[in-house]
Amino acid sequence: MPLFGKSQKSPADVVKALKEAVNSLEKGDKKAEKAQEDVSKNLVLIKNMLYGTSDAEPQTDIIVAQLAQELYNSNLLLLLIQNLNRIDFEGKKDVAQVFNNILRRQIGTRSPTVEYICTKPEILFTLMTGYEHQEIALNCGTMLRECARYEALAKIMLYSDDFYNFFKYVEVSTFDIASDAFSTFKELLTRHKILCADFLEMNYDKVFNHYQRLLNSENYVTRRQSLKLLGELLLDRHNFTVMTRYISNPDNLKLMMNMLKERSRNIQFEAFHVFKVFVANPNKPKPILDILLRNQDKLVEFLMKFHTDRAEDEQFNDEKAYLIRQIRELRPSADH
Amino acid sequence: MPTREDIPSVEVPKEIRLFRTSLIATVTMMVSYETNIDHYSTISILSQCWDGFVNVLLAKHTPSAKLVAIKRYNMDKLKEDSYLVEHEIILTRQLQHPNIIKYFSSFVNGPEVCVISPLMAFGSCKDLLDTHHFSQGLPENAITLILKDVLEGLDYIHRKGIIHRAIRASHILISRKGNACLSGLRYACPIIEQGKWQKQIHTFPINVSKNLNWLSPEVLEQNLLGYNEKSDIYSVGVVLCELANGSEPFAGMATTLMLVEKVRGAAPQLLDCSTISRNENNELNGFSHNQANRRFSEGLHQLTALCLQREPLCRPTAAQLCNHSYLKVSRRGLYLPDLLKPVLPLSDRVAHNTDDLANLDTIHKMSNLDLFTCEWDF
């Protein structure tokens, strides 16, 4: 095989060897140590074919195509992910790198790996439950975010029941896992604007019931991140319908007004960016208007003293001045 | 890895030693560092960084009675930087090498993110240079031992596709047994982007003003040629000068001048009798007698010059440097903690410092005072 030198195995050989090794690792028989070694070795071989090394270029497209085909046919991607916790520390990262590279493969405008995963959604679901296992959570996160870049895959994940587990994952006590899960969660909810808007509209009650828990979380980081994301979601013009619905609910307004008074300055600031939408709404429903009217003087006084040290932030100061004027000029509606 | 730390240095037969190593390793691995602040009792403040918003504390992990370091980031005070904290922790958690700092666990406590890591009892190399004894540099043998560890750690992260971008003495930590570890990974960036191993990186690190003196000319130039992992090798060269001379080259120089000097290829040097020239009156141009009279070996001079070459392609890789003849010379019998005397590891010199801790507590409480008293009428 002059194409890739004497010592190099063909894609089919490497995939076969890797599959056998993972299988025996799964069985956990006496040869486990040998299996571990074989898994690591063959993963590195595949990784080097895809990425190259400091001395060697990546393999040609033909070889990569063969490799990808072998990976699909052997179902190895799923097998690797299912056994990820059994693979050693560096091997886990190699799996993620191989997966992410193969995922990005393109033939013209087609993404064959994405098409393949659409027929094998277990891959996505297995990756999502990966957040429940400390030792593989971050590796699964890397792969999930890469998947979320593709609308077809993001859609499968968003519309699955497993999606709601993210509300649990983003709050786990281990900070690195929680914040990694949050990045994936955010990617799923913001990357594909129309898909996300449709999803939020169709599942408004379920999503925002869960979301409420994040906003009330005991965990400072969760509370802050989820509040910031809420602001971004509501202010995205694609989510207009969702925003209208959100700002019609007086409970949401009460929550934001309370968050304006939180100890943390960052949370106050993020809450301001959600609160402003309630005030700026030209068609305030009566319950919303009533709350604002009842607190009219307090709000004006409060906002006058709110984050006065942000003198250099022009947009914030303009918005604050606008809110103060709006609240001052509030009058009961005609039928009040 | 913390495991070696715990092995007593009594002479025992090799077989038993190996057995003991693996046993202790297993036991150490089994200590789990809970994500709950109640399991750690703080003893004293070790250092503060990021304008005082990040505190490093010495603490005891009460279930195992082990000393650990707790790094506490005040997330409410860190603004734009808060995602760097996340980046640093997630990245460090995915690295496993004896010469890269290990994070046992990380969790949120109030507005702070806490990271538990092994206690690095000699602090950073910068801490060593800040002691009176080493203000003009470390002895050559100490530098060499540190360099070996740094290069091993660097080779590992380069092989894993990461550029460190902030190699400097303050990011090299020394354990009680003299093992050097790289930290400061918040500035690091991946070489792999868009599913490909990139030949050049063009992104400029963020929030980097304090690291400029250590950065390579090609990173600072920010031109189309970009840079790669060889820029870390340049920084290693700067660190060698820093460790040998007591402060980094270009220190105190205007940033633009520093940039011009680097771009035109001026290579910093180790200060000793071969590089410090006396003027016609036999004066030392501001250098001390100690610096002017000492002599670093030819090997160390050469190695430093190799790292500081203007052209990145000419610089050796971390792996090649590990195999450099200068580092291949056996240094058995050299033990870093001995070379660092009279500076002692932390565990031997700190007592419970209640004053500082009480202060920290007060500051904490003050910042938590509720300033808004108004009540909404719902």
Side-chain angles (χ1 to χ4, degrees), chain A residues 203-327:
Chain A
N203 300 279
Y204 182 92
D205 288 326
K206 193 169 180 192
V207 172
F208 282 93
N209 270 336
H210 280 83
Y211 210 101
Q212 197 75 359
R213 286 219 312 270
L214 298 185
L215 295 172
N216 288 314
S217 167
E218 299 231 312
N219 182 317
Y220 166 83
V221 176
T222 310
R223 214 160 61 240
R224 176 171 159 194
Q225 281 177 325
S226 55
L227 183 58
K228 185 162 195 279
L229 176 59
L230 176 68
E232 287 172 34
L233 287 173
L234 298 182
L235 289 170
D236 188 322
R237 60 189 170 82
H238 295 91
N239 295 328
F240 183 78
T241 322
V242 171
M243 185 263 280
T244 318
R245 200 159 161 192
Y246 191 86
I247 61 170
S248 309
N249 183 336
D251 288 336
N252 293 337
L253 175 60
K254 288 178 194 167
L255 180 64
M256 285 312 133
M257 283 169 68
N258 283 331
M259 286 184 116
L260 280 176
K261 299 193 304 165
E262 276 244 10
R263 278 194 186 130
S264 153
R265 285 176 50 82
N266 282 304
I267 290 188
Q268 295 166 6
F269 189 63
E270 298 301 342
F272 174 85
H273 289 296
V274 180
F275 173 72
K276 71 184 181 193
V277 192
F278 286 92
V279 180
N281 180 9
N283 307 308
K284 295 178 202 50
K286 187 162 179 303
I288 299 288
L289 187 61
D290 287 347
I291 292 176
L292 292 175
L293 280 170
R294 267 204 294 280
N295 295 283
Q296 197 168 20
D297 297 340
K298 283 182 191 169
L299 276 169
V300 170
E301 195 192 344
F302 178 87
L303 287 173
M304 299 283 266
K305 286 188 250 162
F306 187 75
H307 289 222
T308 41
D309 52 345
R310 289 185 194 266
E312 75 297 345
D313 187 342
E314 257 183 63
Q315 195 187 341
F316 167 72
N317 285 307
D318 287 351
E319 289 179 350
K320 193 169 80 170
Y322 174 79
L323 289 195
I324 293 173
R325 206 165 56 240
Q326 287 286 311
I327 295 172

Side-chain angles (χ1 to χ4, degrees), chain B residues 123-194:
Chain B
S124 74
C125 286
K126 177 68 181 150
D127 295 336
L128 291 172
L129 297 176
D130 284 344
T131 62
H132 175 68
H133 192 74
F134 293 124
S135 61
Q136 291 177 359
L138 297 173
E140 174 161 347
N141 279 334
I143 297 175
T144 313
L145 293 179
I146 295 169
L147 173 66
K148 273 186 97 148
D149 285 356
V150 167
L151 288 173
E152 296 283 350
L154 197 56
D155 176 44
Y156 169 77
I157 62 168
H158 285 173
R159 275 188 287 114
K160 294 300 153 193
I162 295 159
I163 307 180
H164 188 289
R165 302 199 297 188
I167 304 279
R168 48 183 289 174
S170 64
H171 290 153
I172 302 169
L173 309 176
I174 312 286
S175 77
R176 196 164 68 87
K177 297 273 175 175
N179 185 41
C181 284
L182 283 175
S183 67
L185 281 140
R186 58 184 168 278
Y187 304 102
C189 73
I191 305 177
I192 292 174
E193 270 173 23
Q194 284 139 33

Side-chain angles (χ1 to χ4, degrees), chain A residues 2 15 30 39 57 71 172 190 208 217 235 254 272 321 329:
Chain A
V15 168
K30 275 180 277 176
V39 170
E57 289 290 305
L71 285 172
V172 296
T190 54
F208 282 93
S217 167
L235 289 170
K254 288 178 194 167
F272 174 85
E329 289 168 4

